[in-house]
Amino acid sequence: MSGSSRKTVLITFGRSFLALHLARLLGAAGHDVLISDSVPLPITRFSSSATKTFRTPRPRYEPVEWTRAVARIATEQGVDMVVPVHEGTEILANTIKRHPDLFPDGCKLFFSDFDLEARLENKYEFQAALSRRGLPTLDFALVRNQQELETLDFDQPFALKPVYSRGSQDVHKVRPGELPRGLSFTAENPWIAQEWASGTNYCSYSVCHNGQVKAHAVYPVSYAIDGTSCLTFESIRHDGITAWVRDCVKAFNFTGQIGLDFIEVPGRGLFSVECNPRSTSGILLFDPATGVDRAFFGVNDEVITPEPGARKMLGPGMLMYGWRKSSLDGNTFRGFLRDYRRTDGVIFSRRDPLPSLALPLAMGNILAEAARYRVNIPEAFMHDHEWDGSPLPA
């Protein structure tokens, strides 16, 4: 045990490699780990760290039923903490706001209230909140219809993306005079226009309690799907980002996991491009020796960080996308092979080999989801856990 007493933790979205890694971290620290997902064979169910696995309804389409299922598991299994993964965080927070008495007393839900989660997730509202607090931002504007798009006064390229979106989905690089046509505008999910700056891109990941950072990692953007959804991760030290995150978390009095995307622009400084108030891939940089489980329970005084230079990759994603020129500036196939060979994947573990052997079964879930919802594989991976600001079914 790494400093916190034995707990029972329920992790949702067990198909995710983040859930698998978190289960291994908590299991190695002596905690009992339960897993839930709406697909029948999430990869984390094959881990020796998972005590039990539960199949649930789909959060996106059956949010109340899903929340009730998670609450029932928490009650029957004596769960001390629920850690939602991906945008199930916002869906769970939203349902709890409407049905506050579903979970038993003593069960900690590791996220902030829905209003804060939604405000941080909303790319426009997050930038507006930073501006109100006097923090520098890239130029940005809200775009609710085609007329507002056509009247933007940007005289430089800008990114155009829905305020609720993720990864590399629906991001347009727009040049003045070359506006896109045929965009879909909804009241719940308008678009943000944001200056397209040139610089060095970074991501951060933090575990927080009541406005205090308990664990923290920073990594540069290297291999990524279309330059936005990272495939490889390497821990670095960046004092400016660390201080920025500390002040941001304190200002919002945030509890939960949070990831922030940054760009450092020569001659202008550091800007946060967007916020993900939930689990992100930075958790992959922690190993059991860091005792990061203490951060989830808030029992550590010092900030826990991964080892400098710690490296991890999403192996299946690298095989599908990492060799492409669009995944890295100046990418070559030889360079891709070199980096692939020298970076540990997040799935294989000598102490826990079954998830890697079961990967074809787990990927079969995703292929089935792609066929079911008629979306591509990256979208299928999280489709039934996504939230785009729309009112959830009652």
Side-chain angles (χ1 to χ4, degrees):
M1 196 69 62
S2 66
S4 56
S5 60
R6 187 185 188 96
K7 303 288 186 181
T8 299
V9 182
L10 173 60
I11 303 173
T12 70
F13 201 56
R15 77 189 74 169
S16 170
F17 304 141
L18 278 63
L20 172 62
H21 191 73
L22 179 56
R24 286 169 168 170
L25 292 173
L26 295 174
H31 303 290
D32 293 322
V33 180
L34 312 179
I35 299 298
S36 71
D37 204 317
S38 59
V39 297
L41 297 171
I43 193 167
T44 311
R45 75 171 293 168
F46 300 100
S47 172
S48 59
S49 299
T51 305
K52 294 181 181 178
T53 302
F54 301 86
R55 191 171 183 186
T56 63
R58 303 166 298 168
R60 178 176 181 175
Y61 298 103
E62 300 138 327
V64 176
E65 294 88 339
W66 174 66
T67 302
R68 290 187 184 278
V70 174
R72 184 167 58 250
I73 297 167
T75 301
E76 295 175 353
Q77 302 297 320
V79 169
D80 297 295
M81 175 177 285
V82 176
V83 182
V85 172
H86 193 55
E87 288 172 23
T89 304
E90 285 80 22
I91 297 173
L92 191 58
N94 193 352
T95 310
I96 290 298
K97 180 180 179 180
R98 294 182 291 162
H99 306 275
D101 300 323
L102 291 178
F103 284 83
D105 294 339
C107 178
K108 170 70 175 177
L109 304 176
F110 196 53
F111 49 83
S112 292
D113 66 83
F114 173 71
D115 293 337
L116 178 56
E117 291 277 348
R119 189 162 76 251
L120 296 177
E121 182 78 34
N122 184 306
K123 292 174 173 55
Y124 174 80
E125 292 295 339
F126 177 61
Q127 296 297 316
L130 297 181
S131 181
R132 288 193 296 269
R133 285 166 170 78
L135 293 171
T137 63
L138 299 173
D139 290 341
F140 68 98
L142 185 65
V143 181
R144 291 166 290 191
N145 50 54
Q146 187 68 31
Q147 182 180 1
E148 290 186 346
L149 177 60
E150 293 173 357
T151 56
L152 287 175
D153 59 357
F154 280 78
D155 57 1
Q156 56 195 344
F158 60 91
L160 187 65
K161 51 194 173 183
V163 297
Y164 292 111
S165 58
R166 73 284 311 158
S168 56
Q169 298 176 22
D170 248 354
V171 179
H172 303 263
K173 183 176 183 179
V174 181
R175 292 175 175 82
E178 301 176 9
L179 299 179
R181 296 283 178 179
L183 296 179
S184 176
F185 296 94
T186 65
E188 297 84 6
N189 195 12
W191 298 66
I192 180 176
Q194 191 172 33
E195 175 190 349
W196 194 291
S198 297
T200 305
N201 297 98
Y202 300 93
C203 298
S204 71
Y205 164 81
S206 306
V207 181
C208 312
H209 275 270
N210 301 322
Q212 288 189 321
V213 175
K214 293 292 186 175
H216 178 68
V218 179
Y219 52 98
V221 176
S222 181
Y223 287 92
I225 301 174
D226 295 328
T228 57
S229 188
C230 289
L231 298 168
T232 60
F233 317 92
E234 181 174 3
S235 174
I236 66 167
R237 176 173 174 172
H238 194 300
D239 293 339
I241 289 177
T242 298
W244 201 104
V245 172
R246 182 188 63 235
D247 294 343
C248 176
V249 168
K250 181 178 180 181
F252 290 110
N253 194 32
F254 183 80
T255 291
Q257 302 174 84
I258 190 169
L260 292 148
D261 294 348
F262 292 91
I263 185 168
E264 196 161 31
V265 182
R268 295 178 61 188
L270 188 66
F271 301 90
S272 179
V273 178
E274 63 184 58
C275 174
N276 299 293
R278 46 188 161 78
S279 56
T280 68
S281 298
I283 186 63
L284 302 174
L285 292 170
F286 292 86
D287 62 39
T290 62
V292 73
D293 67 296
R294 296 173 295 153
F296 283 84
F297 302 111
V299 298
N300 57 305
D301 295 322
E302 80 290 354
V303 177
I304 299 169
T305 58
E307 288 294 321
R311 295 169 59 91
K312 285 291 174 67
M313 69 174 176
L314 301 177
M318 278 288 280
L319 289 175
M320 286 190 290
Y321 299 98
W323 50 270
R324 305 182 187 190
K325 290 189 179 298
S326 62
S327 71
L328 182 70
D329 287 343
N331 195 18
T332 64
F333 192 70
R334 178 179 294 180
F336 160 75
L337 289 177
R338 178 199 65 220
D339 292 335
Y340 185 87
R341 286 195 299 264
R342 71 173 187 163
T343 307
D344 291 336
V346 302
I347 303 173
F348 177 73
S349 167
R350 289 183 177 86
R351 295 183 177 181
D352 187 27
L354 197 53
S356 60
L357 298 175
L359 184 59
L361 292 174
M363 290 304 296
N365 290 317
I366 311 308
L367 295 175
E369 294 286 285
R372 178 180 188 179
Y373 297 112
R374 299 182 181 181
V375 296
N376 61 35
I377 291 176
E379 290 181 67
F381 185 76
M382 55 189 72
H383 181 80
D384 67 356
H385 278 63
E386 289 180 353
W387 180 67
D388 63 0
S390 300
L392 294 171

